[in-house]
């Protein structure tokens, strides 16, 4: 469904998307006596009724363990769970369902690759290459592998607009690099990295590439076949699905050659004390009872995104981002962080010398939900020599009124500190 979406003319698409706000019950409430303006989507997005109802119906009627039962409920649960895998394969354009490993989220997906793919292949004298823009989930797993293997973590710099210095990155792609791990979209600054180009250069040099797509899948059509990456990681809860769900896409030949990440039920074909035979892909990487209801809900989120249309979402959010950037820029004393040429709908900023936590608390009193702090991207904050920022992150269900509410709340905070 998602890949066959129809693209509407821009004005029609914007009007249709505005109607979608009604699908999200959490948006229609008062917080601290004010209507909620939810602008913390980069941390976790709200879920539409289609997802909430799918999970509730599954729990009410179909729940049983997957893959193991011959009885009807187990078959229903398995069908729904595996159906989501097919939807996710389609959603990111993977060649085969064997390439879709269901995980608890981006963090687990990256740790899986670090331990199962890189750890056996890296040693002293080798390098793992990342960038300054990464979320901690795309830093710490590599630091752990470096400690385990003696490999070195190398980090490509960014400029003051929050863009990766591509010349430096390419110069750092030397033959001793065992993995390049790069974010598709920065959660702290919104920068969209040119991952197609980066991947092409890395592949030319035989460097495996993992893309952290946690902040990309809610905003744009992702096609791993076009990208040509080896691994792509993302989370369900950033794309209007449940927490505790996610995907690791991996090229089949690589996954085939990798040892299991965890041992337990479901990841085996036969267990004997002298030898255990592992299950086929992707089950080899899915030990234990999974988050079945969550995955079923994630499948509903994929269907829902397909109905809205990723192209329509991208176009709508770009317009809203431009509006938010303009409105924020008009506030005296504002400093914007993350002004890259290509950006997703995220804006970090500081106002006067008000601490971001104080600012976040004050705007919350006006019903405006934004994130304050380092956004799990401390090196980005270190680059700018600041402790943190306030971050407003938009989804397609946000509108101009939400942005206006943010600006009003900031002006009120400014007046308080004047
Ligand atoms: N990578 C990026 C860019 C993120 O924004 C996040 C979450 O904020 C993660 C990784 C980690 O995702 P999760 O906590 O869902 O595993």
């Amino acid at each position: 469904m998602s890949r066959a979406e129809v693209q509407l003319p821009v004005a029609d698409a914007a009007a249709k998307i505005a109607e979608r706000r009604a699908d999200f019950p959490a948006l229609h409430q008062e917080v601290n006596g004010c209507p909620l303006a939810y602008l913390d989507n980069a941390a976790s997005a709200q879920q539409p009724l289609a997802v909430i109802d799918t999970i509730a119906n599954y729990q009410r009627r179909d729940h049983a363990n997957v893959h193991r039962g011959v009885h009807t409920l187990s078959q229903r649960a398995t069908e729904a769970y595996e159906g989501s895998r097919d939807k996710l394969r389609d959603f990111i354009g993977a060649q085969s369902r064997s390439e879709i490993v269901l995980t608890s989220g981006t963090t687990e997906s990256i740790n899986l690759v670090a331990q199962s793919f890189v750890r056996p292949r890296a040693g002293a004298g080798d390098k793992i290459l990342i960038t300054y823009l990464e979320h901690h989930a795309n830093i710490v797993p590599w630091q752990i592998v470096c400690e385990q293997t003696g490999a070195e973590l190398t980090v490509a710099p960014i400029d003051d607009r929050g863009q990766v210095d591509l010349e430096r990155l390419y110069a750092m792609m030397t033959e001793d690099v065992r993995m390049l791990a790069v974010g598709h979209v920065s959660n702290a600054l919104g920068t969209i990295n040119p991952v197609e180009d980066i991947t092409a250069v890395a592949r030319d040099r035989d460097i495996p590439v993992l893309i952290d797509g946690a902040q990309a899948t809610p905003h744009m059509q992702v096609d791993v076949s076009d990208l040509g990456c080896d691994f792509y990681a993302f989370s369900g809860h950033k794309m209007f699905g449940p927490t505790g769900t996610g995907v690791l896409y991996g090229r089949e030949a690589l996954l085939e050659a990798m040892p299991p990440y965890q041992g337990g039920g479901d990841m085996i074909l036969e267990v004997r004390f002298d030898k255990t035979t592992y299950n086929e892909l992707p089950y080899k990487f899915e030990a234990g009872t999974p988050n079945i209801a969550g995955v079923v809900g994630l499948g509903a989120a994929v269907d829902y995104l397909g109905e809205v249309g990723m192209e329509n979402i991208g176009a709508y959010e770009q317009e809203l981002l431009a509006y938010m950037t303009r409105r924020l820029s008009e506030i005296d004393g504002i400093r914007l962080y993350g002004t890259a040429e290509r950006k997703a709908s995220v804006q970090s900023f500081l106002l006067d010398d008000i601490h971001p936590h104080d600012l976040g608390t004050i705007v919350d009193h006006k019903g405006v939900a934004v994130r304050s702090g380092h956004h799990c991207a401390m090196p980005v904050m270190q680059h700018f020599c600041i402790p943190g920022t306030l971050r407003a992150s938009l989804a397609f269900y946000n509108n101009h009124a939400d942005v206006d509410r943010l600006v009003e709340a900031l002006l009120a905070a400014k007046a308080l500190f004047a």
Side-chain angles (χ1 to χ4, degrees), residues 190-401:
T191 314
I192 301 176
N193 281 322
V195 283
E196 305 84 348
D197 301 345
I198 293 171
T199 302
V201 175
R203 286 185 66 77
D204 253 12
R205 300 180 193 180
D206 283 333
I207 298 171
V209 180
L210 175 141
I211 299 176
D212 170 354
Q215 297 293 342
T217 51
H219 303 294
M220 62 187 74
Q221 183 79 67
V222 170
D223 190 309
V224 290
S225 301
D226 286 352
L227 288 177
C229 56
D230 298 288
F231 300 100
Y232 195 95
F234 59 103
S235 297
H237 69 106
K238 312 273 190 199
M239 46 181 275
F240 318 101
T243 53
T245 62
V247 171
L248 171 66
Y249 157 79
R251 216 181 264 284
E252 191 162 354
L254 299 184
L255 291 177
E256 204 66 76
M258 287 158 57
Y261 169 57
Q262 291 183 322
D266 238 23
M267 51 72 73
I268 54 89
L269 285 178
E270 190 187 19
V271 176
R272 302 166 65 93
F273 284 122
D274 55 343
K275 182 169 169 57
T276 285
T277 322
Y278 304 132
N279 207 341
E280 60 196 27
L281 290 178
Y283 310 108
K284 181 172 79 171
F285 294 107
E286 294 180 8
T289 302
N291 180 358
I292 307 168
V295 169
V296 172
L298 179 54
V302 168
D303 285 342
Y304 183 85
L305 283 171
E307 280 165 28
V308 183
M310 295 310 299
E311 302 283 348
N312 298 328
I313 289 173
Y316 176 85
E317 288 180 351
Q318 283 301 313
E319 191 280 326
L320 196 55
L321 173 67
Y323 179 71
M324 179 165 76
T325 311
R326 182 169 64 73
R327 291 295 324 269
L328 288 175
S329 310
E330 287 165 0
I331 301 175
D332 190 32
I334 202 109
R335 298 191 299 288
L336 301 185
Y337 295 91
T339 52
E341 215 165 290
R342 287 181 70 214
K343 279 191 60 178
S345 49
V346 172
Q347 187 60 59
S348 263
F349 57 91
L350 286 172
L351 179 56
D352 297 333
D353 55 359
I354 310 172
H355 194 282
H357 288 320
D358 294 338
L359 210 47
T361 306
I362 294 166
V363 301
D364 177 58
H365 283 129
K366 306 268 179 199
V368 177
V370 288
R371 193 57 138 205
S372 55
H374 53 64
H375 318 299
C376 294
M378 282 185 165
V380 171
M381 303 303 137
Q382 287 151 12
H383 171 86
F384 289 107
C385 302
I386 50 176
T389 67
L390 216 65
R391 179 189 69 186
S393 51
L394 307 166
F396 63 86
Y397 47 58
N398 290 121
N399 54 29
H400 285 217

